[in-house]
Amino acid sequence: MFSFRLLCVLGVLLAPLSVSCQQLVTGRVFDKTTREPIPFATIKYGAGKQGVIAGLDGVFELPIPNAADDLSSIEISSMGYSPLRMTLPLSAYNLYLQPVSNTMADVTVTPPYDKMRRLINLVIANNNQNNPDKYAQYKCHIYYKMVADISLPDSVMKDTAASSRRKTDFVTNQHLLLSETYSIRRWRSPQTLQEDILATRLSGLKKAMFTSTITDVLPFHAYNSYIAMNGKDYQNPMSKGYERKYSFNLADEMLDGTDTVWILSFRPKGRNSNLLTGKVYIHSGGYAISRIVATAKDTLLGQIIKIEQQYKKLNDNGQMRWFPASLNYIIDRQMEKGSSFSTLHLKGNSQIDSVSWGEELGVKFDKQHTVRMAPDAENSETHRLTALRPAPLNDKEMRTYRVIDSFGNVAHADDMMHVLRNIPEGRISLGPVDLDLKRLLSFNQYENVRLGLGLQTNDKLVKWLSVGGWAGYGFKDKEWKYGAFAEVYADKYKEFVIRAAYTDDIADPGRIRLHHDLDKNYLRTFLLQRVDEAKTMTVSVRKKMGYWDAEVSALQQDIIPRYGYALQVEGQEYNLFQAREATLGLRYAYASRTAPFMGKYYTMGSRYPVWYGKVTAGVLTAGATTTNYIQAITAVTWQKHINRLGNERLMVQAGKVWSDAPLPLSKLFAGNGFKYDAASLLSIYAFGGLMTMYPYEYYTDEYVQVCYRHDFNWKLFRIESVKSKISAAPNIALQYNLLHGTLSQRSSHRNVAIGVPYNGYHEAGLILNNLLRMRSGNTYYTTLNLGYFYNPTPVFNLEQNGKLVFGLSVEL
């Protein structure tokens, strides 16, 4: 018995010794040309299948088992590089692979299609088990760092002139930009997300005023049907429909302990610009994605976007779950100046740790603030990041903060950011007041040109109050319009606002004003030609509550039609009206995402339908007559990119007016017609209106409007000229619009011709998107879209019933 116990004790003591005697080969793999780390290179024992995969930073640790003590070499390989065989022991820590020009298209060996198809289908079948969005809840910590650099042309780098040397030294010694964020991310199924920023810093600014998180630039994982990069959706090679979009090859296969890792390379079929090139690592443990590298190239813009993501298998109370562990996000943009080129290089890296799965007691999700900032999180002088960083900054990064911060101080960068902080709302700050850019210049058919000025105080004067006014002059009607307002803010994010205002302005009669989300279409303003003069006093209270927006308002309005209109009531005609109204407006956007930008929260949208509703109770006075009325409007909007189908966009809107006597056109519903005058060959396209209908052509007191659009994913063709900086890659969109409504007592509306869509107004359209794309500078495309809409009637007439439409857009 004593000898048995002694053997047990000796076994426990000697076990670590036997492990420590095991050989451990370490190294880091680099690209021999660029000197950048190669993520996820495979390192195998000799010519066998057993081995390891390098990390995102190219670092690997390869334990040599005792049974293989006589092993004399290892092989390092990665797709796109010549394999490298090294004898042991290694003579250097840094290992360099030589890039090769041949691609997957050069492979002549027939790939094992059935095996690859089975593997991809298993990944798709196990999506719900490995997708973090399908977990009941989780919590993790994320450290995100982004740097910006520029590669100067060889002519500058080799130039010995003093000016060139200064440029070279500057871009070599520090980064152009450095940004860091440390956050805690919480998720609760089905769609509740909370990200708490503990610390953030942006070089050049004392106070960041805005922040970037991992979810701002790309998806948190690679299990959705589309991978969004730089605002564009790319088809995921590991999603349904992959066989029609991608070609695959089994690039490698290796053992990871008792599990197998299959490395599949993929590339687009054809020349579809919304597809990726790269490789995916499939792990037999749950048939999960353990690593993915994906690249999107835009040769005309000279841009390459790349993601490199790694996952880890973690223990959740005995159940193993895959979870994102680290990520690289890279954008290379070629900048042209004359005959020389430089390259702007952006690289973001995130590291995820401290993952837990249990429900946290006492933690409350803030639905209206998806991303929250801890107190002083954006203040660079608190040095919170020093304690939170997983690793210290290197010398170049520390120098970046010192140098760029000094430039920011000299240039008063924080003051400049204060000037631009209200740009999303169309204002710039000039000291204690904001200048309203939207009031400076506008065009419409009634005024022709309006010049104006709008000013309001900002929080440099008083944080909880803003007082402002505006005035504008129309050159065609030769009339001044003006207004004034005061707003009281009951919270620091200005989401609880009490407002009082007076305006003397023009308004188009019957325009449907449901919510500012739906009223942003400036085409309606441009087409303004039939107007009321409206003198309006309003008081309103607006508040955001979770996914809800609510507004209660009261107004008194004097209305004078400026187009010869009169309303006949009991044999009398009236052209001067006074209205008093009380209104409740609501908006509900389930699982909507919001993010802070310079002290205010802005919505990033919702993947679910958004509902709008508005109810108004009013009293209208015309002469000695008084009419009570109730107006109700509701709408639902929805937009989604559906795998294998395309982009779907839908808007359904309906309204009804109840009254005890006829109401003027200004209190009815005007058809949302976007057709320009008959002499014009083209009209401007905008979603939400009817392209073959003139403004004010139809009026109703009860209506339904439907706008549905489907954009196909596939391209008709693709033509590109890098020299001319022009490309054409059109995809087809089909659209159907409907307006149906009724109008009681139509004969009461005098001196104006109006139609009523009793039998429904239908139109169908075909649009060619991206018919022409022109590169503008080094940063974006100007895109031309062209389409044709037709309103079918008993008499077929392409010119009278149809309309050519066009649209211009900017694409980054």
Side-chain angles (χ1 to χ4, degrees):
M1 180 64 69
F2 173 77
S3 59
F4 175 75
R5 291 178 178 174
L6 180 60
L7 288 174
C8 290
V9 172
L10 289 174
V12 171
L13 293 175
L14 293 176
L17 183 61
S18 64
V19 173
S20 66
C21 291
Q22 189 179 50
Q23 292 182 337
L24 189 66
V25 179
T26 62
R28 192 176 186 187
V29 187
F30 291 88
D31 183 304
K32 192 172 183 178
T33 301
T34 65
R35 302 291 170 170
E36 291 287 330
I38 299 176
F40 314 143
T42 58
I43 299 90
K44 295 181 181 178
Y45 304 115
K49 289 189 175 182
Q50 194 78 31
V52 297
I53 300 173
L56 198 63
D57 55 1
V59 174
F60 68 88
E61 292 184 351
L62 179 67
I64 304 298
N66 292 329
D69 284 344
D70 58 344
L71 193 66
S72 59
S73 67
I74 60 173
E75 183 180 86
I76 305 102
S77 62
S78 184
M79 190 182 77
Y81 297 87
S82 297
L84 177 66
R85 186 175 293 275
M86 299 289 294
T87 58
L88 296 178
L90 295 179
S91 58
Y93 178 78
N94 294 338
L95 307 174
Y96 296 90
L97 298 186
Q98 179 68 48
V100 293
S101 58
N102 63 303
T103 64
M104 191 172 64
D106 301 316
V107 178
T108 56
V109 178
T110 302
Y113 292 114
D114 291 339
K115 183 175 182 178
M116 293 189 299
R117 191 178 297 113
R118 186 169 65 252
L119 287 171
I120 298 171
N121 288 337
L122 283 169
V123 172
I124 296 172
N126 285 273
N127 183 295
N128 287 349
Q129 285 71 43
N130 299 317
N131 185 345
D133 288 351
K134 303 299 182 180
Y135 298 159
Q137 65 264 325
Y138 64 76
K139 171 187 170 184
C140 64
H141 292 211
I142 304 175
Y143 171 70
Y144 179 72
K145 177 168 63 178
M146 186 274 290
V147 298
D149 292 289
I150 190 166
S151 299
L152 298 176
D154 289 341
S155 59
V156 176
M157 297 293 288
K158 296 177 181 179
D159 193 350
T160 58
S163 60
S164 296
R165 294 316 309 163
R166 284 195 297 269
K167 294 178 182 178
T168 302
D169 291 343
F170 182 85
V171 300
T172 303
N173 294 333
Q174 64 272 315
H175 303 290
L176 293 182
L177 192 71
L178 173 60
S179 173
E180 297 177 278
T181 301
Y182 192 95
S183 65
I184 298 177
R185 178 187 176 100
R186 292 179 174 89
W187 167 267
R188 185 170 63 200
S189 183
Q191 285 293 330
T192 308
L193 174 66
Q194 189 78 71
E195 192 139 9
D196 290 304
I197 308 295
L198 302 187
T200 184
R201 187 176 180 184
L202 176 63
S203 58
L205 295 175
K206 295 178 180 178
K207 195 171 184 179
M209 300 182 73
F210 61 91
T211 184
S212 60
T213 65
I214 182 176
T215 49
D216 290 339
V217 290
L218 81 164
F220 188 62
H221 55 78
Y223 282 97
N224 289 331
S225 297
Y226 293 92
I227 297 175
M229 298 193 299
N230 205 32
K232 191 174 182 179
D233 284 347
Y234 295 88
Q235 178 85 38
N236 190 338
M238 296 291 106
S239 64
K240 293 180 180 180
Y242 64 87
E243 64 276 2
R244 291 184 299 160
K245 301 289 185 179
Y246 287 100
S247 297
F248 292 88
N249 187 43
L250 184 59
D252 206 347
E253 182 177 333
M254 62 177 295
L255 295 176
D256 180 16
T258 58
D259 292 313
T260 303
V261 178
W262 296 275
I263 305 173
L264 272 60
S265 57
F266 55 86
R267 63 178 175 86
K269 287 183 177 179
R271 300 187 65 191
N272 195 316
S273 61
N274 287 5
L275 297 178
L276 302 164
T277 301
K279 55 185 176 180
V280 59
Y281 296 65
I282 300 173
H283 199 282
S284 62
Y287 291 95
I289 299 171
S290 64
R291 297 162 181 85
I292 185 170
V293 177
T295 302
K297 293 184 179 181
D298 187 328
T299 54
L300 189 63
L301 202 57
Q303 176 175 274
I304 297 175
I305 305 177
K306 187 176 185 179
I307 61 167
E308 303 163 343
Q309 191 169 33
Q310 182 174 359
Y311 298 77
K312 284 187 178 180
K313 189 188 288 188
L314 304 173
N315 192 334
D316 176 17
N317 294 323
Q319 180 182 359
M320 303 306 294
R321 295 184 183 273
W322 288 92
F323 201 80
S326 54
L327 166 78
N328 281 340
Y329 181 69
I330 302 164
I331 300 178
D332 286 333
R333 174 71 66 87
Q334 196 174 69
M335 313 295 287
E336 182 179 356
K337 186 177 181 180
S339 58
S340 61
F341 294 88
S342 56
T343 301
L344 179 64
H345 181 73
L346 300 175
K347 183 174 182 179
N349 172 262
S350 68
Q351 300 180 42
I352 302 171
D353 58 18
S354 304
V355 182
S356 59
W357 315 95
E359 186 173 357
E360 294 181 275
L361 298 177
V363 173
K364 186 176 181 180
F365 285 79
D366 186 348
K367 294 179 180 179
Q368 69 191 64
H369 303 130
T370 309
V371 179
R372 297 184 300 197
M373 302 281 284
D376 290 331
E378 71 275 30
N379 192 340
S380 63
E381 297 178 356
T382 60
H383 302 295
R384 286 187 178 180
L385 281 165
T386 304
L388 295 172
R389 292 186 190 103
L393 298 178
N394 59 37
D395 292 340
K396 186 174 183 178
E397 291 166 341
M398 289 189 292
R399 179 177 170 81
T400 300
Y401 275 135
R402 290 196 302 270
V403 173
I404 305 302
D405 285 355
S406 66
F407 288 164
N409 289 333
V410 173
H412 304 287
D414 288 87
D415 293 336
M416 292 177 60
M417 295 304 296
H418 186 273
V419 170
L420 300 175
R421 62 182 179 156
N422 287 317
I423 279 292
E425 298 174 19
R427 306 195 311 267
I428 59 173
S429 298
L430 305 175
V433 299
D434 285 357
L435 173 66
D436 192 338
L437 301 176
K438 303 185 298 298
R439 296 287 183 183
L440 294 178
L441 178 66
S442 63
F443 302 89
N444 61 66
Q445 305 302 300
Y446 183 78
E447 297 175 296
N448 196 355
V449 176
R450 180 196 282 196
L451 291 178
L453 179 67
L455 298 171
Q456 69 180 88
T457 61
N458 57 41
D459 56 9
K460 274 199 169 183
L461 193 65
V462 182
K463 292 185 179 296
W464 55 269
L465 174 68
S466 179
V467 178
W470 61 271
Y473 181 78
F475 281 81
K476 185 177 180 181
D477 65 335
K478 296 180 172 55
E479 293 285 347
W480 281 94
K481 296 86 182 174
Y482 54 88
F485 65 89
E487 292 180 338
V488 176
Y489 309 116
D491 71 321
K492 66 177 181 178
Y493 299 123
K494 300 181 181 179
E495 295 173 333
F496 187 180
V497 182
I498 303 169
R499 177 185 172 94
Y502 174 82
T503 61
D504 186 343
D505 201 359
I506 57 175
D508 42 349
R511 176 171 171 176
I512 300 168
R513 301 178 185 274
L514 178 54
H515 191 275
H516 62 81
D517 282 359
L518 306 177
D519 296 338
K520 290 179 180 178
N521 195 327
Y522 298 106
L523 181 56
R524 293 190 183 100
T525 302
F526 174 73
L527 295 174
L528 182 68
Q529 54 185 334
R530 177 185 292 178
V531 305
D532 292 328
E533 179 185 347
K535 298 179 180 180
T536 309
M537 291 187 293
T538 60
V539 177
S540 64
V541 179
R542 184 178 73 248
K543 189 172 185 352
K544 185 173 177 61
M545 301 167 289
Y547 299 144
W548 288 92
D549 289 349
E551 183 172 7
V552 179
S553 63
L555 72 78
Q556 179 175 307
Q557 187 176 56
D558 294 332
I559 304 167
I560 306 174
R562 294 300 189 191
Y563 52 101
Y565 169 79
L567 176 69
Q568 187 178 65
V569 182
E570 298 178 354
Q572 296 291 320
E573 292 188 359
Y574 301 96
N575 57 10
L576 177 62
F577 312 97
Q578 185 179 80
R580 298 186 301 276
E581 294 179 346
T583 300
L584 171 64
L586 297 171
R587 174 184 181 270
Y588 182 75
Y590 174 70
S592 60
R593 306 285 190 248
T594 61
F597 180 78
M598 299 189 183
K600 294 189 69 176
Y601 273 85
Y602 295 91
T603 181
M604 297 185 292
S606 170
R607 66 178 67 181
Y608 296 94
V610 180
W611 174 81
Y612 303 87
K614 184 178 180 181
V615 178
T616 298
V619 178
L620 183 87
T621 301
T625 66
T626 300
T627 303
N628 298 305
Y629 61 93
I630 295 176
Q631 183 189 79
I633 314 173
T634 187
V636 174
T637 61
W638 177 70
Q639 188 170 358
K640 187 175 179 63
H641 200 169
I642 301 177
N643 187 18
R644 296 180 289 177
L645 292 180
N647 269 302
E648 311 292 335
R649 188 173 183 184
L650 175 68
M651 184 191 75
V652 179
Q653 191 177 98
K656 183 175 176 62
V657 175
W658 296 266
S659 64
D660 50 20
L663 293 172
L665 294 183
S666 58
K667 298 302 176 183
L668 300 178
F669 305 117
N672 221 356
F674 286 171
K675 187 176 182 179
Y676 199 40
D677 62 73
S680 174
L681 176 64
L682 293 171
S683 284
I684 302 173
Y685 170 79
F687 183 82
L690 292 100
M691 304 309 304
T692 61
M693 178 190 293
Y694 289 106
Y696 324 111
E697 186 177 356
Y698 290 88
Y699 278 88
T700 64
D701 57 14
E702 182 178 6
Y703 80 99
V704 173
Q705 180 183 339
V706 177
C707 296
Y708 170 71
R709 171 170 166 160
H710 172 80
D711 289 71
F712 293 94
N713 281 331
W714 43 268
K715 306 288 185 183
L716 285 175
F717 57 85
R718 184 176 180 84
I719 301 173
E720 187 174 282
S721 172
V722 177
K723 184 177 180 180
S724 302
K725 304 177 184 179
I726 295 176
S727 71
N731 66 290
I732 294 176
L734 301 178
Q735 185 165 330
Y736 169 74
N737 299 323
L738 162 69
L739 176 65
H740 185 279
T742 61
L743 177 63
S744 60
Q745 304 183 60
R746 178 180 178 181
S747 60
S748 298
H749 306 282
R750 315 292 291 179
N751 308 328
V752 64
I754 59 172
V756 182
Y758 292 113
N759 298 318
Y761 187 100
H762 306 262
E763 68 176 22
L766 183 148
I767 304 169
L768 294 179
N769 296 306
N770 299 315
L771 185 61
L772 186 66
R773 294 202 308 170
M774 296 164 283
R775 175 178 163 182
S776 302
N778 294 305
T779 54
Y780 64 91
Y781 288 114
T782 300
T783 301
L784 172 66
N785 309 314
L786 192 65
Y788 180 80
F789 281 76
Y790 186 77
N791 164 229
T793 64
V795 179
F796 181 76
N797 189 320
L798 286 175
E799 182 178 353
Q800 182 175 339
N801 297 340
K803 194 67 178 178
L804 283 170
V805 299
F806 77 97
L808 295 175
S809 59
V810 173
E811 181 183 343
L812 296 176

